[in-house]
Amino acid sequence: MANWESFTSSRNKGTMKLQTLRASNVQDLIGMINKLSDIDEEKINCATDAGLDGLVQLLNHEHPKIRALAESVVTELEKQEDEVVIKEGGYKGLKDMLRYKNVEAQRDALWTIATLAGNTELTHDGIVSEIGWPSILTRASAKVEDIQLPAVTLIANLCMNEEYHEMIIEEGGLELLKGLANSPNLKLKRAVCNAFANLCSEEENIPEVLGDGGIASLLAFVASGDEELVSGGLYTLANVCNLPEYAEQVLDGIAPVIELIKTSHITMVLKGAMACIGTLCETPEYQQRMMDQGLLDALLRVGKTSNPEIKYRLAASFNSLASNAEQRPALKDPQGQKISPVITLLKQLVRLKDPDTKKEAEEALAELGFKKKKKDGKAVPVVVADVGERERIQREQAERIAMKTEGRYATLRMANEASARSREGIERETVETDAQRQAAMREAIEKEAQEVIRMERAKLERERAEAEAREAQLREAIERQAEEARRATEQAQRQSQMMLEREREDILAMQREREEAQAALQRARLEQEELERNMSSMMDKMKSDMAGVEAERERMMREAQEASASSVGRSTSAMKIIKSEETYEVEEEHDIDDDYADEDDYEDDDDKREKAKIALVMVDLWEHNEDMAVTESALRKLGALAMKERNRKLIRIAGAIPILCEILKNADPKVGLTPSQSLALSVLAVLVRNVRNRDEVRKQEGLRHCLRIVKASDQEDLVNDLKALKELCKNEKNKVILRDGRLIEQIVPKILPENQPVQEQVLDIIAIISMNDVKSQVVVRDARGMPPIIKQIRHAEPEVQRRAIRALGNVSQNNRKIQQIVRKAADTIPYVVSRLADDNMEVRKAAGGAVAALAENEYANQVIIRKEGAIKMLCDNLGSSDRDDVKEQYAAAIRCMAKGNTKVQADFRKGPGFSLLVHALTSENIGLRIHATGAVTELCRDNSKNCDMICGAGAVHPLVGALETENNALQYLSEGAIWALARKSGMSSCSVIPFLVLAPCMALRSTVFAGPHSKLMAVGRKMLVVRKKSKVNAGTVLTRECSQAQEHVP
């Protein structure tokens, strides 16, 4: 059962937070001291003070490992600010228990976490970071109630912390709570209601929480009849009433709330109801509707309570009603008494010691015509200000004194009459009374005896009926057992027959398989013989070719010797013959920004020769050879052949990848890889540079082997494995498998130790796996990967530094939580901005991408980046001699900074930024053109001055020309840029007309400007209207502009 408790002062009107706690158990941790003699008694006292009953159950668990984990949690307890919390990193035991299949262990672990979260907000950061929000949400969605209830309770308690409201609302928590609001489980609904109340403590969350019929759910909670659910619903309504758009809906269903004030005796219910009523009473327009539904009677009834918070809200409600002139007559109405009960109640409230309650009551009395007077410097009770009213009260007091006097006289007369009774009468009455008492006693004894007899008979009847029922059940059980035994015997007979039939079928199948295997073996031998003959003929041909080449070389050498002998002054020494050796084409490793080219089906003579070489190597790998030197030699040759890009396709077709995966299958990183395994890993790292080879590795279960080898201690093996994983991550399916295989958690600890080759590969993997993948970004954050990445952006080596900056940008991309983490890290964003002026061009490129990622849809980061002078540095870099792919990142950063930021748009008017962007629109690099077009769009969006300057810089020609390209993204962004230029400025509209509207719209209406380019047709219509309004001769303009447009539009 959940206990509800208000965390706000009674003086705060309408803003409530509720905690959800588990009902206390009879057990406590003090009783465990004898069993846990090795645990400090102070830790036991901490757990007892925190009410961690779930931890008691875990300490008593039958499984020894769970008990050990529970003891480790107890040792991590400490007190901070008089609250019991768990030390940093101390939630590991609870997190491990959540992974067990034991339902009781998960349940008690979740109750322990929920209780800690409900006790203090100091535990919330540790719970979210170490337990993990996805883990909590998964268990809150479970179908097992014992696990779902504590998980939902934990979410409700996390809602008390305003820092996590956005996470709960945006990452699936609110959607889950709304789905559970109609659950038949009453305890679950209490926790959900509690969460709603805490989320509604911030007004900005109320529309999200109450969307899709939220008010109706709260009113259903209020009408449920359960005191805890009712009080939670009332506190939520009190928070909601602060917004006028929802107060009207609450007012429509206020009748049950007023009825609860009249009838309920529960303090928490009355507190919530009075909080809701007090908030509504502050609006005069709502008061009459509540008065019509009996509000005044309810307030007078609740005045009898002794709770100070309720009394304060009562005085505040009367003060709000008294401030409305229309309600004062109803408050002054005596209702058949001598003085108005409202006045009497307010006078009582004035006498209270609480200064806030007293002040509200005094203000209400003043509004009703009463005031406090002073006499001889001393405060006197409140008196009536009206003279006529004072005289009426004096007459009433005189009448009461007269009535009291008459009452005393009547009492005296009755006493005299009683004393005149005779003694005989008194004795007679005493005797009669004794007789009646004895008769009543006899009658009661007889009735009791009859009841005992009746109960004994009923007991005997029940015992007889139970004995008969047990006998009948026993007979039925025996009959069922006999029937089950008969059925089991029949089933065993049928199974034995089926097994005999299956054995016969298996024998026949094995015979067929043996025959097929013998036939396949014969075919394989024939194929091998054919292959050997082909290889022999090919080798003979190669030898003959080499012999011809050797003869030709000797002939040339002889001619050279003769020529040198006939030359004057030349040395007569014979020239040495140098034997030429075959060389392999080696491809350089690409950076992660440029993937390797996809393979084609073209095959030339070189490919045929390479295919023959690969076949010679594969023969040694196909045949199982006891001599490992042969295998190692074949792997070295295969690695040399794989360095040529076109050979990787041929090697895959030859079946090398399954063989390599089979060699790596038994690799043990703890012991170390064998030479053949190391060679196989290095060959695989080169082969996966081919795009299709990555799918083949996944199909052969090679990802599992690469994940296991990450733990290798050998430097060369670890680097080769990381290179292979880096290339494999570029495949979307591989990325999901590697993320689920905890690759990120394994490589994050390798970022900080000084080992440049390993650090470079690890940072590349994080950058690839996090690019446009929110789940991977969350895993990097949860694995505490952000602090080491932020630290490495200041690394002394440029290669490590640029990779760290690039990883920081990819992890932060379009993820507001991580963008906030980077912003809060000291001097991180200013340092990244400063790298835009670095001497190393690759570092500048990485810094540009990181600035774009940090500024995307995050206004606070845009402000910081702008203050650090990023705009000037980006413009300087755009005008520099950097490569176009580097300038592409600068344009992307400008685009993200200018999106929705008018200050950045205004800053661009102060320098040569527009002309540089327009020049970038004509670049041969398609990526630079795309981002430059996007930057132009954001800079001129709703900004007429920028539109005029961009048009003046000559942006119209390249934007219209971009519509003719085959790149859909560039076409779409160019359309948006033209729309933004034309819709705000008359000058820009007129400049676009000659090149875009008149000729292109008429000539290309069915092709370029149809379908997705409907915006440009709207631009054309607008600009035609502009032309009609101008005083220029329409015919002349049309003729001149059509002739000019033909030069730019096909």
Side-chain angles (χ1 to χ4, degrees), residues 127-142:
I127 291 173
V128 175
S129 62
E130 297 184 34
I131 301 299
W133 171 249
S135 177
I136 298 171
L137 192 62
T138 300
R139 282 155 183 82
S141 305

mmCIF file of all heavy atoms in Angstrom, residues 127-142:
data_model
loop_
_atom_site.group_PDB
_atom_site.id
_atom_site.type_symbol
_atom_site.label_atom_id
_atom_site.label_comp_id
_atom_site.label_asym_id
_atom_site.label_seq_id
_atom_site.Cartn_x
_atom_site.Cartn_y
_atom_site.Cartn_z
ATOM 1 N N ILE A 127 20.329 6.883 -9.181
ATOM 2 C CA ILE A 127 19.411 5.864 -9.692
ATOM 3 C C ILE A 127 19.349 5.923 -11.208
ATOM 4 O O ILE A 127 19.448 4.908 -11.904
ATOM 5 C CB ILE A 127 18.017 6.056 -9.058
ATOM 6 C CG1 ILE A 127 18.067 5.712 -7.563
ATOM 7 C CG2 ILE A 127 16.974 5.201 -9.766
ATOM 8 C CD1 ILE A 127 16.797 6.035 -6.829
ATOM 9 N N VAL A 128 19.195 7.136 -11.772
ATOM 10 C CA VAL A 128 19.040 7.267 -13.220
ATOM 11 C C VAL A 128 20.331 6.908 -13.943
ATOM 12 O O VAL A 128 20.321 6.262 -14.988
ATOM 13 C CB VAL A 128 18.584 8.698 -13.584
ATOM 14 C CG1 VAL A 128 18.548 8.890 -15.083
ATOM 15 C CG2 VAL A 128 17.213 8.979 -12.998
ATOM 16 N N SER A 129 21.490 7.322 -13.374
ATOM 17 C CA SER A 129 22.751 7.081 -14.067
ATOM 18 C C SER A 129 23.229 5.638 -13.936
ATOM 19 O O SER A 129 23.787 5.087 -14.881
ATOM 20 C CB SER A 129 23.824 8.038 -13.524
ATOM 21 O OG SER A 129 24.044 7.801 -12.152
ATOM 22 N N GLU A 130 23.010 5.005 -12.781
ATOM 23 C CA GLU A 130 23.540 3.670 -12.559
ATOM 24 C C GLU A 130 22.525 2.565 -12.864
ATOM 25 O O GLU A 130 22.882 1.552 -13.461
ATOM 26 C CB GLU A 130 24.024 3.542 -11.112
ATOM 27 C CG GLU A 130 25.175 4.474 -10.781
ATOM 28 C CD GLU A 130 25.723 4.274 -9.390
ATOM 29 O OE1 GLU A 130 25.725 3.116 -8.932
ATOM 30 O OE2 GLU A 130 26.132 5.246 -8.761
ATOM 31 N N ILE A 131 21.283 2.742 -12.449
ATOM 32 C CA ILE A 131 20.259 1.743 -12.789
ATOM 33 C C ILE A 131 19.863 1.894 -14.249
ATOM 34 O O ILE A 131 19.719 0.917 -14.975
ATOM 35 C CB ILE A 131 19.037 1.893 -11.869
ATOM 36 C CG1 ILE A 131 19.463 1.712 -10.393
ATOM 37 C CG2 ILE A 131 17.972 0.854 -12.241
ATOM 38 C CD1 ILE A 131 20.050 0.379 -10.069
ATOM 39 N N GLY A 132 19.695 3.153 -14.712
ATOM 40 C CA GLY A 132 19.384 3.417 -16.120
ATOM 41 C C GLY A 132 17.892 3.572 -16.344
ATOM 42 O O GLY A 132 17.079 2.745 -15.894
ATOM 43 N N TRP A 133 17.519 4.664 -17.018
ATOM 44 C CA TRP A 133 16.101 4.911 -17.304
ATOM 45 C C TRP A 133 15.505 3.814 -18.177
ATOM 46 O O TRP A 133 14.370 3.372 -17.933
ATOM 47 C CB TRP A 133 15.937 6.280 -17.951
ATOM 48 C CG TRP A 133 14.563 6.536 -18.471
ATOM 49 C CD1 TRP A 133 14.176 6.649 -19.753
ATOM 50 C CD2 TRP A 133 13.369 6.705 -17.692
ATOM 51 N NE1 TRP A 133 12.834 6.879 -19.840
ATOM 52 C CE2 TRP A 133 12.304 6.911 -18.593
ATOM 53 C CE3 TRP A 133 13.094 6.694 -16.337
ATOM 54 C CZ2 TRP A 133 10.997 7.120 -18.178
ATOM 55 C CZ3 TRP A 133 11.783 6.892 -15.912
ATOM 56 C CH2 TRP A 133 10.758 7.107 -16.831
ATOM 57 N N PRO A 134 16.180 3.298 -19.221
ATOM 58 C CA PRO A 134 15.573 2.211 -20.014
ATOM 59 C C PRO A 134 15.242 0.987 -19.176
ATOM 60 O O PRO A 134 14.208 0.351 -19.389
ATOM 61 C CB PRO A 134 16.638 1.910 -21.070
ATOM 62 C CG PRO A 134 17.434 3.171 -21.189
ATOM 63 C CD PRO A 134 17.466 3.755 -19.809
ATOM 64 N N SER A 135 16.113 0.637 -18.213
ATOM 65 C CA SER A 135 15.847 -0.521 -17.363
ATOM 66 C C SER A 135 14.603 -0.293 -16.514
ATOM 67 O O SER A 135 13.770 -1.185 -16.352
ATOM 68 C CB SER A 135 17.066 -0.788 -16.472
ATOM 69 O OG SER A 135 16.809 -1.857 -15.604
ATOM 70 N N ILE A 136 14.448 0.925 -15.964
ATOM 71 C CA ILE A 136 13.260 1.239 -15.143
ATOM 72 C C ILE A 136 12.017 1.175 -16.002
ATOM 73 O O ILE A 136 10.995 0.588 -15.611
ATOM 74 C CB ILE A 136 13.432 2.624 -14.497
ATOM 75 C CG1 ILE A 136 14.653 2.642 -13.551
ATOM 76 C CG2 ILE A 136 12.179 3.028 -13.728
ATOM 77 C CD1 ILE A 136 15.013 4.011 -13.046
ATOM 78 N N LEU A 137 12.056 1.767 -17.195
ATOM 79 C CA LEU A 137 10.873 1.817 -18.060
ATOM 80 C C LEU A 137 10.481 0.417 -18.522
ATOM 81 O O LEU A 137 9.297 0.105 -18.636
ATOM 82 C CB LEU A 137 11.173 2.711 -19.263
ATOM 83 C CG LEU A 137 9.968 3.111 -20.123
ATOM 84 C CD1 LEU A 137 8.983 3.922 -19.301
ATOM 85 C CD2 LEU A 137 10.423 3.919 -21.320
ATOM 86 N N THR A 138 11.470 -0.441 -18.785
ATOM 87 C CA THR A 138 11.170 -1.806 -19.213
ATOM 88 C C THR A 138 10.408 -2.567 -18.138
ATOM 89 O O THR A 138 9.423 -3.258 -18.416
ATOM 90 C CB THR A 138 12.480 -2.547 -19.550
ATOM 91 O OG1 THR A 138 13.148 -1.845 -20.603
ATOM 92 C CG2 THR A 138 12.192 -3.972 -19.983
ATOM 93 N N ARG A 139 10.830 -2.412 -16.898
ATOM 94 C CA ARG A 139 10.149 -3.130 -15.816
ATOM 95 C C ARG A 139 8.805 -2.503 -15.471
ATOM 96 O O ARG A 139 7.898 -3.187 -15.004
ATOM 97 C CB ARG A 139 11.065 -3.172 -14.590
ATOM 98 C CG ARG A 139 12.141 -4.231 -14.764
ATOM 99 C CD ARG A 139 13.388 -3.970 -13.969
ATOM 100 N NE ARG A 139 14.380 -5.011 -14.253
ATOM 101 C CZ ARG A 139 15.177 -5.004 -15.303
ATOM 102 N NH1 ARG A 139 15.105 -4.003 -16.163
ATOM 103 N NH2 ARG A 139 16.037 -5.987 -15.498
ATOM 104 N N ALA A 140 8.663 -1.217 -15.704
ATOM 105 C CA ALA A 140 7.343 -0.604 -15.502
ATOM 106 C C ALA A 140 6.355 -1.072 -16.563
ATOM 107 O O ALA A 140 5.144 -0.988 -16.348
ATOM 108 C CB ALA A 140 7.459 0.915 -15.530
ATOM 109 N N SER A 141 6.842 -1.558 -17.703
ATOM 110 C CA SER A 141 5.972 -2.076 -18.761
ATOM 111 C C SER A 141 5.750 -3.577 -18.630
ATOM 112 O O SER A 141 5.079 -4.164 -19.483
ATOM 113 C CB SER A 141 6.596 -1.772 -20.124
ATOM 114 O OG SER A 141 6.872 -0.406 -20.279
ATOM 115 N N ALA A 142 6.308 -4.200 -17.602
ATOM 116 C CA ALA A 142 6.202 -5.647 -17.451
ATOM 117 C C ALA A 142 4.752 -6.058 -17.169
ATOM 118 O O ALA A 142 3.943 -5.271 -16.662
ATOM 119 C CB ALA A 142 7.116 -6.141 -16.323
#
